[in-house]
Amino acid sequence: MLALILALVLAASGLLTYKPLQLGLDLQGGSQLTARTFSDDPAVVIDADGLNAVKEVVRRRIDGLGLSQTTVQVAGKDKIIVQLPGSGEQQADLDRAARQITQKAFLQFTVQQADSTEQYDEFNAQRARLRALLSRELANLQGAEDTALNAATLAQSRERATSLAVELDAVERSIATLFDSRALTGEDLSRAIAAPVPESNGLSYQLNLTFTPKGGQTFADITKEVAGDPEGRRIGIVLDGRSISEATVGAEFRAAGITGGGARITGNFSEAEARNLEVQLQVGSLPYDVEILESRSVGASLGADNVRRSLAAALSGLLLVALFMVVVYRLPGVVAVIALSIYALLNLSVYALIPVVLTLPGIAGFILSFGMALDANVLISERTREELRAGNSLYRSVEAGFNRAFSSILDGNVTTLISCVVLGYLGSGLVRGFAITLGIGVALSMFTALTCSRTLLRLLLMYSGLRQLRFFMAAR
Amino acid sequence: MTFTTPRPGPGSRSPGLRISRHGSTLISISLALLLAAVLGFVMSTRSSQIGSPLNAGLDFTGGTSLQLELRCAASGCDSDQRFGVAAVRQFLADLPLPPVDSHPVDLGNASIQVLDGGAGLVVRSAALHPSQTKLLVEKLDARFGPIDQAGIQLDSIGPLLGAELLRSSVVALLVAFAAVAAYIAIRFSPIYASLALAALVHDVLIVCGLFAWLGLLLGVEVDSLFAVALLTLAGYSVNDSVVVFDRIRETGRLEPGLSLREQVDRSVTASLSRSINTSATTELPIIALAIFSSGGLQWFGVALAFGIAVGTYSSLCFAPPLLLLLLKRGRLGRQAEA
């Protein structure tokens, strides 16, 4: 038994040197987004495959951000969790990631319906007017911080900008309703690249698309359909239900359509918009809608501070407990402290092995499990004392102490384990982290309290110098 | 303080502490505490600022909390560099935040708290989109900065998630109760199971009551860590009760001639030093946690420390007298001995 304990201690120390503990966001610094997948159509049920498909798209889009050490996981029935590393520009990274994962980016190539030119012209004029008004309002707001405008004017301006944005969105959707979809979507692209276009008032961005061979053929067919159309019907590019670009096709393409397998989207893209769209089109669209439920971000120095505080709490707690045990329980107290140290070591190495990502609630669970581990030792030592008081021999009292404390320890730990299992299954992230560390702690404490303490105490009692009542309790 | 005074064991003739004699007093103390807790819930619900039994924090209600620190905080900021509540409030009221997903945002009624005498700032508002928080940080940095980018803490929670967290915590707690009760009913008896649950509800309610009062008096909010603390206390409370019950059962087995009253008295006496010592050893690291940590984790430590004390009390001074009371009233003796 002693050999087993020694082997475990050695293995645990080895493991911890080679495989460091994984620290969670709140200890290491970093950001986390929790998003939910859903469908507006109540008939659609998103199953595990659907969620995984979303996760895959999200993962590739997040990879496209060019950050190292990102993770994307599914959680529960409908959630995706994205973690980003700490950096000097954490807030900006979080923003980019949030935009990347919420935009569905479902791109459709469409053809204008017959007899809709008049309506189109009307909508188009509305759109141009709204765009101009909105950009003026936004410029107003931007400048307003420098010139001290009064709050009322500012609030009005902000409200106007909001309603203009809503109107513009509605018009863009109305335009899309004038177009019929064709069998050509973002799926048929093999490449999308954002490219700057010099303009009179600075740089604008466009997207250069390359189709797959089949997509190229379909594109040629579609363009042939409207090439030199007498009505002036257009090809429309619709993104997530909003028309982003429409173009007529010249009569010279009437014979074969636009061949060559490429197309260009020239919209009013800023650089950031174009780059986002580039990644989204490269990766493909999301099969369902995604919305952000939660975003959290912890700066790296705050994380380091949390680690320092937790370490201080754990060490001083351990020290105080050790002192208490030795003063109150004497020799069995010393043994309990050694067993407890082994317990802490084994616990940490199990965290490294599984691996358990250590978070603040997780550390709290660990610290609490110290207390629970001690309970077993306290029970055993108290029972041993009772036996001694009843006048039994030292050796018999120690053995009886272990045997009679066993059922209390078992029942107490099993009830705690039951709640840990339930919390681990049903609880959300934070609760689960806590339940896992507490559960591991309780399971391990049964081993260390019953096995390690017993073996060590038996070993020590082989020395006759230690077989004295005063090492166990105060003289009567 | 030492707990080494010799106490009579199960074989001894004289039971030290006769818990049964003080049954009605002890149960009255518990009832008074429960009443204080319920009063706290009522006051909190009627308070215009809180409006619910507990002062629910961001985790449950949804919203954004942004905490930042000036870069000069490490070396000590000059008075003109510090954040001032009035200046920040004015600045936020005038700050144009672009709408995202057509949700207009006005920071005019955000709550503002200044930390470390102006070197730090906490802004709390309705839930913001990451692009809005990014802009907010940039603007604050430009106006009041430089801000320490590595010292920013952001928590932004949509209302949907808060409600879900509350629901999943309550469901987890109830299922855990049921599973533990079933285990005790099988290992002991149904009456012990109901007593363990009664002690558990007692403990959880009193801790919640303390936080209702803390919310009323100090504005302390309950967050998801508080839910974790309650879940932990539930486990701890049951554990404590089980140890005492186990002792009562063992005493009954070893000395079947004793009256139940006598059995309970002796078992509580015998468990006393174990229960107090275990609480003390568990409290030590938790108090260390409460002292060394900051923010939410500190109140987590307070909830645990207080809850463990209450749990120890209930396992010794609430559940055993209640057992006697139940047996006397309801002639359930046979069931308990089963």
Coordinates of all heavy atoms in Angstrom, one line a residue, chain A residues 36 79 91 94-95 99 145 154 158 293-297 299-301 309 316 321 324 329 364 367-368 374-375 379 382-383 386 404 407-408 411-412 414 418 428 430 434, chain B residues 59 94-95 105-106 131 134 139 150 152-158 160-161 164-165 179 183 187 224 228 231-232 239 242 246-247 250 273-274 277-278 281 285-286 292 300:
Chain A
R36 N -26.2 31.7 -29.4 CA -27.2 30.7 -29.5 C -27.6 30.5 -31.0 O -27.7 31.5 -31.7 CB -28.4 31.2 -28.7 CG -29.6 30.3 -28.7 CD -30.7 30.9 -27.8 NE -31.5 31.9 -28.6 CZ -32.7 31.7 -29.1 NH1 -33.3 30.6 -29.0 NH2 -33.3 32.7 -29.8
K79 N -26.0 25.9 -28.0 CA -25.1 27.0 -27.8 C -23.7 26.8 -28.4 O -23.2 25.6 -28.5 CB -24.9 27.3 -26.3 CG -26.2 28.0 -25.8 CD -26.0 28.5 -24.4 CE -27.3 28.8 -23.8 NZ -28.2 27.6 -23.9
Q91 N -10.9 44.1 -26.8 CA -12.2 44.6 -27.1 C -12.5 44.6 -28.6 O -13.6 44.2 -29.1 CB -12.5 46.0 -26.6 CG -12.2 46.1 -25.1 CD -13.0 45.2 -24.3 OE1 -14.2 44.9 -24.5 NE2 -12.4 44.5 -23.3
L94 N -12.9 41.0 -29.8 CA -14.3 40.6 -29.4 C -15.3 41.0 -30.4 O -16.2 40.3 -30.8 CB -14.6 41.1 -28.0 CG -15.7 40.4 -27.2 CD1 -15.4 39.0 -27.0 CD2 -15.9 41.1 -25.9
D95 N -15.2 42.3 -30.8 CA -16.1 42.9 -31.7 C -16.1 42.2 -33.1 O -17.1 41.8 -33.6 CB -15.8 44.4 -31.9 CG -16.6 45.1 -32.9 OD1 -17.8 44.7 -33.1 OD2 -16.1 46.1 -33.5
R99 N -19.1 40.0 -34.8 CA -19.7 40.3 -36.2 C -19.5 39.0 -37.1 O -20.4 38.7 -37.8 CB -18.9 41.4 -36.8 CG -19.3 42.8 -36.2 CD -18.3 43.8 -36.8 NE -18.5 45.1 -36.1 CZ -19.4 46.0 -36.4 NH1 -20.2 45.8 -37.4 NH2 -19.5 47.1 -35.7
E145 N -19.0 65.0 -30.8 CA -18.2 64.9 -29.6 C -17.2 66.0 -29.4 O -16.8 66.4 -28.3 CB -17.3 63.6 -29.7 CG -18.2 62.4 -29.7 CD -17.5 61.2 -30.4 OE1 -16.4 60.9 -30.0 OE2 -18.0 60.7 -31.4
L154 N -28.4 66.0 -29.5 CA -27.6 64.8 -29.8 C -28.5 63.6 -29.8 O -28.5 62.7 -30.7 CB -26.6 64.6 -28.7 CG -25.3 63.8 -29.1 CD1 -24.6 64.4 -30.2 CD2 -24.4 63.7 -27.8
R158 N -29.3 61.0 -32.8 CA -29.1 59.6 -32.7 C -30.4 58.8 -33.0 O -30.4 57.8 -33.7 CB -28.7 59.2 -31.2 CG -28.0 58.0 -31.1 CD -27.6 57.7 -29.6 NE -26.9 58.8 -29.0 CZ -27.0 59.1 -27.7 NH1 -27.7 58.4 -26.9 NH2 -26.3 60.1 -27.3
L293 N -25.4 35.8 -26.9 CA -26.1 35.8 -25.6 C -25.3 36.5 -24.6 O -25.8 37.2 -23.7 CB -26.4 34.4 -25.1 CG -27.4 33.6 -25.9 CD1 -27.5 32.2 -25.2 CD2 -28.7 34.3 -26.0
E294 N -24.0 36.3 -24.7 CA -23.1 36.8 -23.6 C -21.7 37.1 -24.1 O -21.2 36.3 -25.0 CB -23.0 35.7 -22.5 CG -22.1 36.0 -21.4 CD -21.8 34.7 -20.6 OE1 -21.3 33.7 -21.2 OE2 -22.0 34.7 -19.4
S295 N -21.1 38.1 -23.7 CA -19.7 38.3 -24.0 C -19.0 38.7 -22.7 O -19.5 39.6 -21.9 CB -19.5 39.4 -25.1 OG -20.2 40.6 -24.7
R296 N -17.9 38.1 -22.5 CA -17.1 38.4 -21.3 C -15.7 38.6 -21.7 O -15.2 38.0 -22.6 CB -17.2 37.3 -20.2 CG -18.5 37.1 -19.6 CD -18.5 36.0 -18.6 NE -19.8 35.7 -18.1 CZ -20.4 36.2 -17.0 NH1 -19.7 37.1 -16.3 NH2 -21.6 35.8 -16.6
S297 N -15.0 39.5 -20.9 CA -13.6 39.7 -21.3 C -12.9 40.1 -20.0 O -13.3 40.9 -19.2 CB -13.5 40.8 -22.3 OG -12.2 41.3 -22.4
G299 N -9.0 41.2 -18.6 CA -7.7 41.7 -19.0 C -6.6 40.8 -18.4 O -6.8 40.2 -17.4
A300 N -5.5 40.6 -19.1 CA -4.4 39.7 -18.7 C -3.9 40.0 -17.3 O -3.7 39.1 -16.5 CB -3.3 39.7 -19.7
S301 N -3.8 41.3 -16.9 CA -3.3 41.6 -15.6 C -4.3 41.3 -14.5 O -3.9 40.9 -13.4 CB -2.8 43.1 -15.5 OG -3.9 44.0 -15.7
R309 N -4.2 36.0 -6.0 CA -5.1 36.0 -4.8 C -5.6 34.6 -4.5 O -5.6 34.2 -3.3 CB -6.4 36.8 -5.1 CG -6.1 38.3 -5.1 CD -7.4 39.0 -5.7 NE -7.2 40.4 -5.9 CZ -7.4 41.3 -5.0 NH1 -7.8 41.0 -3.8 NH2 -7.2 42.6 -5.2
S316 N -2.6 30.0 2.4 CA -2.8 30.4 3.8 C -3.9 29.5 4.4 O -3.8 29.2 5.6 CB -3.2 31.9 3.9 OG -4.3 32.1 3.1
V321 N -5.1 25.4 8.3 CA -5.7 24.1 8.6 C -4.7 23.1 9.1 O -4.9 22.4 10.1 CB -6.3 23.5 7.3 CG1 -6.6 22.0 7.4 CG2 -7.6 24.3 6.9
F324 N -4.0 24.0 12.8 CA -5.2 23.6 13.5 C -5.1 22.0 13.8 O -5.3 21.6 14.9 CB -6.4 23.9 12.8 CG -7.7 23.6 13.5 CD1 -8.4 24.6 14.3 CD2 -8.3 22.3 13.4 CE1 -9.6 24.3 14.9 CE2 -9.5 22.1 14.1 CZ -10.1 23.0 14.8
Y329 N -5.2 17.7 17.1 CA -5.2 16.2 17.0 C -3.8 15.5 17.1 O -3.7 14.3 17.0 CB -5.8 15.7 15.7 CG -7.3 16.0 15.7 CD1 -7.9 17.0 14.9 CD2 -8.2 15.4 16.6 CE1 -9.2 17.3 15.0 CE2 -9.5 15.6 16.7 CZ -10.0 16.6 15.8 OH -11.4 16.9 15.9
A364 N -12.5 27.6 -6.1 CA -13.4 27.6 -4.9 C -13.8 26.2 -4.6 O -13.8 25.8 -3.4 CB -14.6 28.5 -5.1
I367 N -10.8 24.5 -3.0 CA -10.6 24.9 -1.6 C -11.6 24.3 -0.7 O -11.3 23.8 0.4 CB -10.6 26.5 -1.6 CG1 -9.3 27.0 -2.3 CG2 -10.6 26.9 -0.1 CD1 -9.2 28.5 -2.2
L368 N -12.8 24.3 -1.2 CA -13.9 23.7 -0.4 C -13.7 22.2 -0.1 O -13.9 21.7 0.9 CB -15.2 23.9 -1.0 CG -16.4 23.5 -0.1 CD1 -16.6 24.6 1.0 CD2 -17.6 23.3 -0.9
L374 N -10.8 17.1 4.9 CA -10.4 17.1 6.4 C -11.4 16.5 7.2 O -11.1 15.9 8.3 CB -10.2 18.6 6.8 CG -8.8 19.1 6.7 CD1 -8.8 20.5 7.0 CD2 -8.0 18.3 7.7
D375 N -12.7 16.7 6.8 CA -13.8 16.2 7.6 C -13.6 14.7 7.9 O -13.7 14.2 9.0 CB -15.1 16.4 6.9 CG -16.3 15.9 7.7 OD1 -16.2 16.0 8.9 OD2 -17.3 15.4 7.1
L379 N -13.2 13.1 11.6 CA -14.1 12.0 12.1 C -13.3 10.9 12.6 O -13.6 10.3 13.7 CB -15.0 11.5 10.9 CG -16.3 12.3 10.6 CD1 -16.9 11.8 9.3 CD2 -17.2 12.0 11.8
E382 N -11.5 11.8 15.9 CA -12.4 11.9 17.0 C -12.9 10.5 17.5 O -12.9 10.2 18.7 CB -13.7 12.7 16.6 CG -13.5 14.2 16.5 CD -13.4 14.8 17.8 OE1 -13.9 14.3 18.8 OE2 -12.7 15.9 17.9
R383 N -13.1 9.6 16.5 CA -13.5 8.3 16.9 C -12.4 7.6 17.6 O -12.6 6.8 18.6 CB -13.9 7.5 15.6 CG -15.3 7.8 15.1 CD -16.3 7.5 16.3 NE -17.6 7.8 16.0 CZ -18.5 6.9 15.6 NH1 -18.2 5.7 15.4 NH2 -19.8 7.3 15.4
E386 N -12.4 8.7 21.2 CA -13.5 8.1 22.0 C -13.1 6.7 22.4 O -13.3 6.3 23.6 CB -14.7 8.0 21.1 CG -15.5 9.3 21.1 CD -16.7 9.2 20.2 OE1 -17.2 8.0 19.9 OE2 -17.2 10.2 19.7
R404 N -15.0 2.6 12.4 CA -16.3 3.2 12.8 C -16.6 4.5 12.1 O -17.8 4.9 12.0 CB -16.4 3.3 14.3 CG -16.3 1.9 15.0 CD -16.3 1.9 16.4 NE -17.6 2.5 16.9 CZ -17.9 2.7 18.2 NH1 -17.0 2.3 19.1 NH2 -19.1 3.2 18.5
S407 N -18.6 4.5 7.9 CA -20.0 4.7 7.4 C -20.4 6.1 7.3 O -21.0 6.6 6.4 CB -21.0 3.9 8.2 OG -21.4 4.5 9.3
S408 N -20.0 6.9 8.3 CA -20.3 8.4 8.2 C -19.6 9.0 7.0 O -20.2 9.8 6.3 CB -19.7 9.1 9.5 OG -20.4 8.7 10.6
D411 N -21.4 7.8 3.7 CA -22.7 8.5 3.5 C -22.5 10.0 3.2 O -23.1 10.5 2.2 CB -23.6 8.3 4.7 CG -24.1 6.9 4.9 OD1 -24.2 6.2 3.8 OD2 -24.4 6.5 6.0
G412 N -21.7 10.6 3.9 CA -21.5 12.1 3.7 C -20.9 12.3 2.3 O -21.4 13.2 1.6
V414 N -20.9 10.3 -0.3 CA -21.8 9.8 -1.4 C -22.9 10.9 -1.7 O -23.2 11.2 -2.8 CB -22.5 8.5 -1.1 CG1 -23.6 8.2 -2.1 CG2 -21.4 7.4 -1.2
I418 N -23.4 12.8 -5.2 CA -24.7 12.8 -5.9 C -25.0 14.2 -6.4 O -25.3 14.4 -7.5 CB -25.8 12.2 -5.0 CG1 -25.7 10.7 -4.8 CG2 -27.2 12.5 -5.7 CD1 -26.7 10.1 -3.8
S428 N -25.0 25.1 -15.6 CA -24.4 25.7 -16.7 C -22.9 25.9 -16.4 O -22.5 25.5 -15.3 CB -25.1 27.1 -16.9 OG -25.1 27.8 -15.7
L430 N -20.4 27.8 -15.3 CA -19.8 28.1 -14.0 C -20.0 27.0 -13.0 O -19.1 26.6 -12.3 CB -20.4 29.4 -13.5 CG -19.6 30.4 -12.7 CD1 -18.4 30.8 -13.6 CD2 -20.4 31.6 -12.4
F434 N -17.4 24.1 -11.0 CA -17.4 24.0 -9.6 C -17.7 22.5 -9.2 O -17.0 21.9 -8.4 CB -18.4 24.9 -9.0 CG -18.5 24.8 -7.5 CD1 -17.6 25.4 -6.7 CD2 -19.5 24.1 -6.9 CE1 -17.7 25.4 -5.3 CE2 -19.7 24.0 -5.6 CZ -18.7 24.7 -4.8
Chain B
D59 N -25.9 38.7 -13.8 CA -25.9 37.4 -14.3 C -27.3 36.9 -14.5 O -27.6 36.1 -15.4 CB -25.2 36.4 -13.3 CG -23.8 36.6 -13.3 OD1 -23.3 37.3 -14.1 OD2 -23.1 36.1 -12.4
D94 N -23.8 62.2 -23.3 CA -23.5 62.9 -24.6 C -22.9 61.9 -25.6 O -22.7 62.3 -26.8 CB -22.6 64.1 -24.4 CG -23.3 65.2 -23.6 OD1 -24.5 65.1 -23.4 OD2 -22.5 66.1 -23.1
L95 N -22.6 60.7 -25.2 CA -21.8 59.8 -26.1 C -22.7 59.2 -27.2 O -23.7 58.6 -26.8 CB -21.1 58.7 -25.3 CG -20.3 57.8 -26.1 CD1 -19.0 58.5 -26.5 CD2 -19.9 56.6 -25.2
V105 N -29.2 52.9 -28.3 CA -28.6 52.8 -26.9 C -28.3 54.2 -26.4 O -27.7 55.0 -27.0 CB -27.4 51.9 -26.9 CG1 -26.7 52.1 -25.6 CG2 -27.7 50.5 -27.2
D106 N -28.8 54.4 -25.2 CA -28.6 55.7 -24.5 C -28.0 55.4 -23.2 O -28.5 54.6 -22.4 CB -30.0 56.4 -24.3 CG -29.8 57.7 -23.8 OD1 -28.6 58.2 -23.7 OD2 -30.8 58.3 -23.3
S131 N -19.5 45.5 -30.3 CA -18.9 46.7 -31.0 C -19.2 48.0 -30.3 O -18.5 48.9 -30.4 CB -19.6 46.7 -32.4 OG -20.9 47.0 -32.4
K134 N -16.7 48.1 -27.4 CA -15.3 48.5 -28.0 C -15.2 50.0 -28.2 O -14.3 50.6 -27.8 CB -15.1 47.7 -29.3 CG -13.9 48.1 -30.0 CD -13.9 47.6 -31.5 CE -13.4 48.7 -32.4 NZ -13.9 48.6 -33.7
K139 N -13.6 55.5 -26.6 CA -14.0 56.9 -26.3 C -13.6 57.3 -24.9 O -13.1 58.4 -24.7 CB -15.5 57.1 -26.4 CG -16.1 56.8 -27.8 CD -15.6 57.9 -28.8 CE -16.2 57.6 -30.2 NZ -15.4 58.3 -31.3
A150 N -4.9 45.9 -20.2 CA -4.9 44.6 -19.7 C -5.7 44.5 -18.4 O -5.8 43.5 -17.7 CB -3.4 44.2 -19.4
I152 N -9.0 45.5 -18.1 CA -10.4 45.7 -18.4 C -11.2 44.4 -18.1 O -10.7 43.4 -18.5 CB -10.6 46.1 -19.9 CG1 -9.9 47.4 -20.2 CG2 -12.1 46.1 -20.3 CD1 -10.0 47.8 -21.7
Q153 N -12.3 44.6 -17.4 CA -13.1 43.4 -17.3 C -14.5 43.8 -17.8 O -15.1 44.8 -17.4 CB -13.2 43.0 -15.8 CG -14.3 41.9 -15.6 CD -14.0 41.1 -14.4 OE1 -13.1 41.3 -13.7 NE2 -14.9 40.1 -14.2
L154 N -15.0 42.9 -18.7 CA -16.3 43.2 -19.4 C -17.2 41.9 -19.1 O -16.8 40.8 -19.4 CB -16.1 43.4 -20.9 CG -17.3 43.3 -21.7 CD1 -18.1 44.5 -21.6 CD2 -17.0 43.0 -23.2
D155 N -18.4 42.2 -18.7 CA -19.4 41.1 -18.6 C -20.6 41.7 -19.3 O -21.2 42.7 -18.8 CB -19.7 40.8 -17.2 CG -18.5 40.2 -16.5 OD1 -18.2 39.0 -16.7 OD2 -17.8 40.9 -15.7
S156 N -21.1 41.0 -20.3 CA -22.2 41.5 -21.0 C -23.2 40.3 -21.2 O -22.8 39.3 -21.9 CB -21.8 42.1 -22.4 OG -22.8 42.8 -22.9
I157 N -24.3 40.4 -20.6 CA -25.2 39.2 -20.6 C -26.6 39.5 -21.1 O -27.2 40.5 -20.6 CB -25.3 38.6 -19.2 CG1 -23.9 38.0 -18.8 CG2 -26.3 37.5 -19.1 CD1 -23.4 38.5 -17.5
G158 N -27.0 38.8 -22.1 CA -28.4 39.1 -22.6 C -29.4 38.6 -21.6 O -29.1 37.6 -20.9
L160 N -31.9 36.8 -22.0 CA -32.3 35.4 -22.2 C -31.4 34.4 -21.4 O -31.9 33.5 -20.8 CB -32.1 35.1 -23.7 CG -32.9 33.9 -24.3 CD1 -34.3 34.3 -24.3 CD2 -32.4 33.6 -25.7
L161 N -30.1 34.7 -21.4 CA -29.2 33.8 -20.8 C -29.4 33.8 -19.2 O -29.3 32.8 -18.6 CB -27.8 34.2 -21.1 CG -26.7 33.1 -20.8 CD1 -26.9 31.9 -21.7 CD2 -25.3 33.7 -20.9
E164 N -32.2 31.8 -18.3 CA -31.9 30.4 -18.4 C -31.0 29.9 -17.3 O -31.2 28.8 -16.8 CB -31.2 30.1 -19.8 CG -31.0 28.7 -20.1 CD -30.4 28.5 -21.4 OE1 -31.0 29.0 -22.4 OE2 -29.4 27.8 -21.5
L165 N -30.1 30.7 -16.9 CA -29.2 30.4 -15.8 C -30.0 30.2 -14.5 O -29.8 29.2 -13.8 CB -28.2 31.5 -15.6 CG -27.2 31.3 -14.4 CD1 -26.2 30.2 -14.8 CD2 -26.4 32.6 -14.1
A179 N -32.5 13.6 -5.4 CA -31.6 12.4 -5.4 C -31.0 12.1 -4.1 O -30.9 11.0 -3.6 CB -30.4 12.7 -6.5
Y183 N -31.4 8.9 -1.6 CA -30.3 8.1 -1.0 C -30.5 7.9 0.5 O -30.3 6.9 1.1 CB -29.0 8.8 -1.3 CG -27.8 8.1 -0.8 CD1 -27.3 7.0 -1.4 CD2 -27.2 8.6 0.4 CE1 -26.2 6.3 -0.8 CE2 -26.1 7.9 0.9 CZ -25.6 6.8 0.3 OH -24.5 6.2 0.8
R187 N -30.8 4.6 2.7 CA -29.7 4.2 3.6 C -30.3 4.3 5.1 O -29.8 3.6 5.9 CB -28.5 5.1 3.5 CG -27.6 4.8 2.3 CD -26.7 3.7 2.6 NE -25.7 4.1 3.6 CZ -24.8 3.2 4.0 NH1 -24.8 1.9 3.7 NH2 -23.9 3.6 4.9
S224 N -24.2 34.5 -10.2 CA -24.1 33.1 -10.4 C -23.3 32.4 -9.3 O -23.5 31.2 -9.0 CB -23.7 32.7 -11.8 OG -22.6 33.5 -12.2
V228 N -23.9 29.1 -7.0 CA -22.9 28.0 -6.7 C -22.7 27.8 -5.2 O -22.7 26.7 -4.7 CB -21.5 28.3 -7.3 CG1 -20.5 27.3 -6.9 CG2 -21.7 28.4 -8.8
L231 N -25.6 25.9 -3.8 CA -25.5 24.5 -4.2 C -24.5 23.7 -3.3 O -24.7 22.6 -2.8 CB -25.1 24.3 -5.6 CG -26.1 25.0 -6.6 CD1 -25.4 25.0 -8.0 CD2 -27.4 24.2 -6.7
T232 N -23.4 24.4 -3.0 CA -22.4 23.8 -2.2 C -22.9 23.6 -0.8 O -22.7 22.6 -0.1 CB -21.2 24.8 -2.0 OG1 -20.9 25.2 -3.3 CG2 -20.0 24.1 -1.4
N239 N -24.5 16.6 4.3 CA -23.4 15.8 4.8 C -23.3 15.9 6.3 O -23.2 14.9 7.0 CB -22.1 16.5 4.2 CG -20.9 15.6 4.5 OD1 -20.9 14.7 5.3 ND2 -19.8 16.0 3.8
V242 N -26.2 14.0 7.9 CA -26.0 12.6 7.7 C -25.1 12.0 8.8 O -25.4 11.0 9.4 CB -25.5 12.2 6.3 CG1 -25.0 10.8 6.3 CG2 -26.6 12.4 5.3
D246 N -26.2 9.3 11.4 CA -25.5 8.0 11.4 C -25.1 7.7 12.8 O -25.2 6.5 13.2 CB -24.2 8.2 10.6 CG -23.5 6.9 10.3 OD1 -24.1 6.1 9.7 OD2 -22.3 6.8 10.7
R247 N -24.8 8.7 13.6 CA -24.5 8.5 15.0 C -25.7 8.0 15.8 O -25.6 7.2 16.6 CB -23.9 9.8 15.5 CG -23.1 9.7 16.8 CD -22.0 8.8 16.5 NE -21.4 8.4 17.8 CZ -20.1 8.6 18.1 NH1 -19.3 9.2 17.3 NH2 -19.6 8.2 19.3
E250 N -26.3 4.5 15.0 CA -25.3 3.6 15.7 C -25.6 3.5 17.2 O -25.5 2.3 17.7 CB -23.9 4.2 15.4 CG -22.8 3.2 15.9 CD -21.4 3.9 15.8 OE1 -21.1 4.5 14.8 OE2 -20.7 3.9 16.8
S273 N -17.9 17.7 19.0 CA -16.6 18.2 18.8 C -16.2 18.0 17.3 O -15.5 18.8 16.7 CB -15.6 17.7 19.7 OG -15.4 16.3 19.5
R274 N -16.6 16.8 16.8 CA -16.4 16.6 15.4 C -17.0 17.7 14.5 O -16.3 18.2 13.6 CB -16.9 15.2 15.0 CG -16.9 15.0 13.5 CD -18.3 15.3 12.9 NE -18.2 15.6 11.4 CZ -19.1 16.1 10.7 NH1 -20.3 16.5 11.3 NH2 -19.0 16.3 9.4
N277 N -15.2 21.0 15.0 CA -13.8 21.0 14.4 C -13.8 21.0 12.9 O -13.0 21.6 12.2 CB -13.0 19.8 14.9 CG -12.6 20.1 16.4 OD1 -12.9 21.1 16.9 ND2 -11.8 19.1 16.9
T278 N -14.8 20.2 12.3 CA -14.9 20.1 10.9 C -15.3 21.5 10.3 O -14.7 21.9 9.3 CB -15.9 19.1 10.5 OG1 -15.5 17.8 10.9 CG2 -16.1 19.1 9.0
T281 N -12.3 23.7 10.4 CA -11.2 23.5 9.4 C -11.8 23.9 8.0 O -11.0 24.3 7.2 CB -10.8 22.0 9.4 OG1 -12.0 21.2 9.4 CG2 -9.9 21.7 10.6
P285 N -10.0 27.8 5.3 CA -9.7 28.2 3.9 C -10.7 29.1 3.3 O -10.3 30.0 2.4 CB -9.6 26.9 3.1 CG -10.2 25.8 4.0 CD -10.1 26.4 5.4
I286 N -12.0 29.0 3.7 CA -13.0 29.8 3.1 C -12.8 31.3 3.5 O -13.0 32.2 2.7 CB -14.4 29.3 3.4 CG1 -14.6 28.0 2.6 CG2 -15.5 30.3 3.0 CD1 -15.8 27.3 3.0
F292 N -8.7 37.2 0.8 CA -7.7 37.5 -0.2 C -8.4 37.9 -1.6 O -7.8 38.5 -2.4 CB -6.8 36.3 -0.5 CG -5.8 36.2 0.6 CD1 -5.8 35.3 1.6 CD2 -4.7 37.1 0.6 CE1 -4.9 35.2 2.6 CE2 -3.8 37.0 1.6 CZ -3.8 36.1 2.6
F300 N -19.0 35.5 -2.3 CA -19.1 34.1 -2.4 C -18.5 33.5 -1.1 O -19.1 32.6 -0.5 CB -18.3 33.6 -3.6 CG -18.2 32.1 -3.8 CD1 -19.3 31.4 -4.2 CD2 -17.0 31.4 -3.6 CE1 -19.3 30.0 -4.4 CE2 -16.9 30.1 -3.8 CZ -18.1 29.4 -4.2

